[in-house]
Short mmCIF file of all heavy atoms in Angstrom, two decimals:
data_model
loop_
_atom_site.label_atom_id
_atom_site.label_comp_id
_atom_site.label_asym_id
_atom_site.label_seq_id
_atom_site.Cartn_x
_atom_site.Cartn_y
_atom_site.Cartn_z
N PRO A 46 -14.50 14.26 41.37
CA PRO A 46 -15.36 14.41 42.54
C PRO A 46 -16.49 13.38 42.52
O PRO A 46 -16.99 13.01 41.44
CB PRO A 46 -15.91 15.83 42.40
CG PRO A 46 -14.94 16.55 41.51
CD PRO A 46 -14.41 15.51 40.58
N HIS A 48 -19.65 13.57 43.11
CA HIS A 48 -20.91 13.96 42.47
C HIS A 48 -20.80 13.92 40.94
O HIS A 48 -21.80 13.75 40.25
CB HIS A 48 -21.35 15.35 42.94
CG HIS A 48 -20.48 16.49 42.47
ND1 HIS A 48 -19.33 16.86 43.12
CD2 HIS A 48 -20.60 17.34 41.42
CE1 HIS A 48 -18.78 17.89 42.50
NE2 HIS A 48 -19.53 18.20 41.46
N VAL A 49 -19.59 14.04 40.42
CA VAL A 49 -19.40 13.94 38.97
C VAL A 49 -19.53 12.49 38.52
O VAL A 49 -20.18 12.19 37.50
CB VAL A 49 -18.02 14.52 38.58
CG1 VAL A 49 -17.74 14.32 37.09
CG2 VAL A 49 -17.95 16.00 38.94
N SER A 79 -22.80 25.79 30.51
CA SER A 79 -22.10 25.60 31.78
C SER A 79 -20.68 26.15 31.70
O SER A 79 -20.19 26.79 32.64
CB SER A 79 -22.06 24.11 32.15
OG SER A 79 -23.35 23.64 32.47
N ARG A 82 -20.79 29.91 31.87
CA ARG A 82 -21.00 30.40 33.24
C ARG A 82 -19.70 30.34 34.03
O ARG A 82 -19.39 31.25 34.81
CB ARG A 82 -22.09 29.58 33.93
CG ARG A 82 -23.50 29.94 33.50
CD ARG A 82 -24.53 29.33 34.42
NE ARG A 82 -24.57 27.86 34.32
CZ ARG A 82 -25.34 27.20 33.46
NH1 ARG A 82 -26.12 27.87 32.60
NH2 ARG A 82 -25.34 25.88 33.43
N ARG A 83 -18.93 29.26 33.86
CA ARG A 83 -17.66 29.14 34.58
C ARG A 83 -16.72 30.26 34.19
O ARG A 83 -16.06 30.88 35.04
CB ARG A 83 -17.02 27.78 34.31
CG ARG A 83 -15.68 27.63 35.01
CD ARG A 83 -14.94 26.37 34.62
NE ARG A 83 -13.66 26.29 35.30
CZ ARG A 83 -13.48 25.86 36.54
NH1 ARG A 83 -14.52 25.46 37.25
NH2 ARG A 83 -12.28 25.84 37.08
N TYR A 84 -16.63 30.53 32.89
CA TYR A 84 -15.73 31.60 32.44
C TYR A 84 -16.15 32.96 33.00
O TYR A 84 -15.30 33.77 33.37
CB TYR A 84 -15.69 31.62 30.91
CG TYR A 84 -14.46 30.93 30.36
CD1 TYR A 84 -14.38 29.54 30.35
CD2 TYR A 84 -13.39 31.65 29.87
CE1 TYR A 84 -13.25 28.89 29.86
CE2 TYR A 84 -12.25 31.01 29.37
CZ TYR A 84 -12.19 29.64 29.38
OH TYR A 84 -11.07 29.00 28.91
N THR A 86 -17.82 33.50 35.81
CA THR A 86 -17.66 33.53 37.27
C THR A 86 -16.20 33.56 37.69
O THR A 86 -15.82 34.35 38.57
CB THR A 86 -18.35 32.30 37.89
OG1 THR A 86 -19.73 32.30 37.54
CG2 THR A 86 -18.20 32.30 39.39
N LEU A 87 -15.37 32.71 37.09
CA LEU A 87 -14.00 32.54 37.57
C LEU A 87 -12.98 33.38 36.82
O LEU A 87 -11.96 33.78 37.39
CB LEU A 87 -13.59 31.07 37.48
CG LEU A 87 -14.33 30.11 38.41
CD1 LEU A 87 -13.76 28.70 38.28
CD2 LEU A 87 -14.22 30.57 39.86
N TYR A 88 -13.21 33.65 35.55
CA TYR A 88 -12.20 34.32 34.75
C TYR A 88 -12.62 35.70 34.26
O TYR A 88 -11.83 36.40 33.61
CB TYR A 88 -11.82 33.46 33.54
CG TYR A 88 -11.54 32.02 33.87
CD1 TYR A 88 -12.09 30.98 33.11
CD2 TYR A 88 -10.73 31.67 34.95
CE1 TYR A 88 -11.84 29.65 33.41
CE2 TYR A 88 -10.47 30.34 35.26
CZ TYR A 88 -11.04 29.34 34.49
OH TYR A 88 -10.79 28.01 34.80
N ASP A 209 -6.48 26.27 36.24
CA ASP A 209 -6.90 26.39 37.64
C ASP A 209 -5.83 25.98 38.63
O ASP A 209 -5.98 26.21 39.83
CB ASP A 209 -8.16 25.54 37.87
CG ASP A 209 -9.33 26.01 37.04
OD1 ASP A 209 -9.53 27.23 36.93
OD2 ASP A 209 -10.05 25.16 36.48
N LEU A 210 -4.76 25.35 38.16
CA LEU A 210 -3.73 24.81 39.05
C LEU A 210 -2.62 25.83 39.23
O LEU A 210 -1.54 25.75 38.64
CB LEU A 210 -3.18 23.49 38.50
CG LEU A 210 -4.21 22.40 38.20
CD1 LEU A 210 -3.51 21.12 37.77
CD2 LEU A 210 -5.12 22.14 39.39
N PRO A 217 -6.31 32.23 38.68
CA PRO A 217 -6.20 31.85 37.27
C PRO A 217 -6.37 33.05 36.35
O PRO A 217 -7.18 33.95 36.63
CB PRO A 217 -7.34 30.85 37.08
CG PRO A 217 -7.66 30.36 38.46
CD PRO A 217 -7.40 31.51 39.37
N PHE A 234 -9.75 24.74 27.05
CA PHE A 234 -9.99 24.42 28.45
C PHE A 234 -10.24 22.92 28.56
O PHE A 234 -11.03 22.36 27.81
CB PHE A 234 -11.19 25.17 29.01
CG PHE A 234 -11.47 24.88 30.46
CD1 PHE A 234 -10.79 25.55 31.46
CD2 PHE A 234 -12.38 23.90 30.83
CE1 PHE A 234 -11.02 25.26 32.80
CE2 PHE A 234 -12.62 23.60 32.16
CZ PHE A 234 -11.94 24.28 33.15
N MET A 236 -11.09 19.39 30.98
CA MET A 236 -11.66 18.86 32.23
C MET A 236 -10.68 17.92 32.93
O MET A 236 -10.92 17.50 34.06
CB MET A 236 -12.95 18.10 31.91
CG MET A 236 -14.02 18.92 31.23
SD MET A 236 -14.67 20.26 32.23
CE MET A 236 -15.60 19.36 33.46
N SER A 239 -8.35 20.04 36.14
CA SER A 239 -9.10 20.65 37.23
C SER A 239 -9.97 19.64 37.97
O SER A 239 -10.18 19.76 39.18
CB SER A 239 -10.00 21.78 36.70
OG SER A 239 -9.23 22.81 36.12
N TYR A 240 -10.46 18.63 37.25
CA TYR A 240 -11.44 17.70 37.83
C TYR A 240 -10.98 16.25 37.82
O TYR A 240 -11.75 15.36 38.18
CB TYR A 240 -12.77 17.82 37.08
CG TYR A 240 -13.37 19.21 37.16
CD1 TYR A 240 -13.30 20.07 36.09
CD2 TYR A 240 -13.97 19.65 38.34
CE1 TYR A 240 -13.84 21.35 36.16
CE2 TYR A 240 -14.51 20.92 38.43
CZ TYR A 240 -14.44 21.77 37.34
OH TYR A 240 -14.96 23.04 37.42
N MET A 242 -10.48 14.27 35.31
CA MET A 242 -11.27 13.53 34.32
C MET A 242 -10.45 13.21 33.07
O MET A 242 -10.97 13.21 31.96
CB MET A 242 -12.53 14.33 33.96
CG MET A 242 -13.45 14.58 35.15
SD MET A 242 -14.77 15.79 34.82
CE MET A 242 -15.71 14.96 33.53
N ALA A 278 -21.95 14.60 32.97
CA ALA A 278 -21.01 14.63 34.09
C ALA A 278 -20.18 15.91 34.04
O ALA A 278 -19.84 16.50 35.09
CB ALA A 278 -20.10 13.41 34.04
N GLY A 279 -19.84 16.37 32.84
CA GLY A 279 -19.14 17.64 32.70
C GLY A 279 -19.95 18.81 33.23
O GLY A 279 -19.41 19.72 33.86
N ILE A 280 -21.25 18.78 32.98
CA ILE A 280 -22.13 19.82 33.52
C ILE A 280 -22.09 19.79 35.04
O ILE A 280 -22.01 20.84 35.70
CB ILE A 280 -23.56 19.63 32.99
CG1 ILE A 280 -23.60 19.85 31.48
CG2 ILE A 280 -24.54 20.57 33.70
CD1 ILE A 280 -24.91 19.44 30.83
N ALA A 281 -22.17 18.58 35.62
CA ALA A 281 -22.12 18.45 37.08
C ALA A 281 -20.81 19.01 37.63
O ALA A 281 -20.79 19.64 38.69
CB ALA A 281 -22.29 16.99 37.47
N ALA A 282 -19.72 18.78 36.93
CA ALA A 282 -18.43 19.29 37.39
C ALA A 282 -18.38 20.81 37.32
O ALA A 282 -17.96 21.48 38.28
CB ALA A 282 -17.30 18.68 36.56
N LEU A 283 -18.79 21.37 36.20
CA LEU A 283 -18.69 22.81 36.00
C LEU A 283 -19.65 23.60 36.87
O LEU A 283 -19.32 24.68 37.36
CB LEU A 283 -18.93 23.15 34.52
CG LEU A 283 -17.87 22.63 33.54
CD1 LEU A 283 -18.36 22.78 32.11
CD2 LEU A 283 -16.54 23.36 33.73
N ASP A 284 -20.86 23.07 37.06
CA ASP A 284 -21.89 23.79 37.80
C ASP A 284 -21.92 23.44 39.29
O ASP A 284 -22.54 24.15 40.08
CB ASP A 284 -23.28 23.51 37.21
CG ASP A 284 -23.48 24.18 35.86
OD1 ASP A 284 -22.68 25.07 35.52
OD2 ASP A 284 -24.43 23.80 35.14
N GLY A 285 -21.31 22.33 39.66
CA GLY A 285 -21.40 21.85 41.04
C GLY A 285 -20.39 22.50 41.95
O GLY A 285 -19.71 23.48 41.60
N PRO A 286 -20.24 21.97 43.16
CA PRO A 286 -19.27 22.51 44.13
C PRO A 286 -17.85 22.48 43.55
O PRO A 286 -17.46 21.52 42.90
CB PRO A 286 -19.41 21.57 45.33
CG PRO A 286 -20.73 20.89 45.15
CD PRO A 286 -20.97 20.80 43.69
N GLN A 287 -17.11 23.53 43.83
CA GLN A 287 -15.75 23.65 43.31
C GLN A 287 -14.69 23.41 44.38
O GLN A 287 -13.50 23.65 44.14
CB GLN A 287 -15.55 25.04 42.68
CG GLN A 287 -16.51 25.34 41.56
CD GLN A 287 -16.37 24.39 40.38
OE1 GLN A 287 -15.27 24.24 39.83
NE2 GLN A 287 -17.45 23.72 40.00
N ASP A 288 -15.11 22.93 45.56
CA ASP A 288 -14.15 22.76 46.65
C ASP A 288 -13.08 21.73 46.30
O ASP A 288 -11.93 21.82 46.75
CB ASP A 288 -14.86 22.39 47.94
CG ASP A 288 -15.76 21.16 47.79
OD1 ASP A 288 -16.46 21.05 46.77
OD2 ASP A 288 -15.78 20.32 48.70
N THR A 289 -13.43 20.72 45.47
CA THR A 289 -12.43 19.70 45.15
C THR A 289 -11.31 20.26 44.27
O THR A 289 -10.19 19.75 44.30
CB THR A 289 -13.08 18.49 44.45
OG1 THR A 289 -13.66 18.92 43.22
CG2 THR A 289 -14.13 17.84 45.34
N VAL A 290 -11.62 21.29 43.49
CA VAL A 290 -10.57 21.92 42.68
C VAL A 290 -9.55 22.57 43.61
O VAL A 290 -8.34 22.41 43.44
CB VAL A 290 -11.17 22.95 41.71
CG1 VAL A 290 -10.06 23.62 40.89
CG2 VAL A 290 -12.18 22.30 40.78
N ALA A 291 -10.04 23.29 44.61
CA ALA A 291 -9.14 23.92 45.57
C ALA A 291 -8.35 22.88 46.36
O ALA A 291 -7.16 23.06 46.63
CB ALA A 291 -9.94 24.82 46.52
N GLU A 292 -9.00 21.78 46.71
CA GLU A 292 -8.29 20.71 47.43
C GLU A 292 -7.18 20.11 46.56
O GLU A 292 -6.09 19.80 47.05
CB GLU A 292 -9.28 19.61 47.84
CG GLU A 292 -10.27 20.03 48.92
CD GLU A 292 -11.36 19.01 49.13
OE1 GLU A 292 -11.29 17.92 48.50
OE2 GLU A 292 -12.28 19.28 49.90
N ARG A 293 -7.47 19.95 45.29
CA ARG A 293 -6.48 19.40 44.37
C ARG A 293 -5.26 20.33 44.29
O ARG A 293 -4.11 19.89 44.31
CB ARG A 293 -7.13 19.22 43.00
CG ARG A 293 -6.38 18.35 42.02
CD ARG A 293 -7.18 18.24 40.73
NE ARG A 293 -8.47 17.60 40.95
CZ ARG A 293 -8.70 16.30 40.84
NH1 ARG A 293 -7.72 15.50 40.50
NH2 ARG A 293 -9.90 15.81 41.04
N VAL A 294 -5.54 21.63 44.21
CA VAL A 294 -4.45 22.61 44.15
C VAL A 294 -3.60 22.53 45.42
O VAL A 294 -2.36 22.54 45.36
CB VAL A 294 -5.01 24.03 43.95
CG1 VAL A 294 -3.91 25.08 44.13
CG2 VAL A 294 -5.64 24.17 42.57
N ARG A 295 -4.25 22.46 46.57
CA ARG A 295 -3.49 22.39 47.82
C ARG A 295 -2.63 21.13 47.90
O ARG A 295 -1.49 21.15 48.38
CB ARG A 295 -4.44 22.46 49.02
CG ARG A 295 -5.04 23.84 49.24
CD ARG A 295 -5.73 23.94 50.58
NE ARG A 295 -6.91 23.09 50.67
CZ ARG A 295 -8.14 23.48 50.36
NH1 ARG A 295 -8.35 24.72 49.91
NH2 ARG A 295 -9.17 22.65 50.48
#
Side-chain angles (χ1 to χ4, degrees):
H48 69 276
V49 175
S79 292
R82 283 193 292 270
R83 179 187 179 82
Y84 260 75
T86 301
L87 293 184
Y88 312 133
D209 298 318
L210 305 185
F234 181 83
M236 301 295 289
S239 298
Y240 299 103
M242 298 169 64
I280 294 169
L283 294 168
D284 288 345
Q287 301 299 304
D288 54 318
T289 61
V290 179
E292 291 171 5
R293 195 178 298 268
V294 170
R295 288 192 294 269

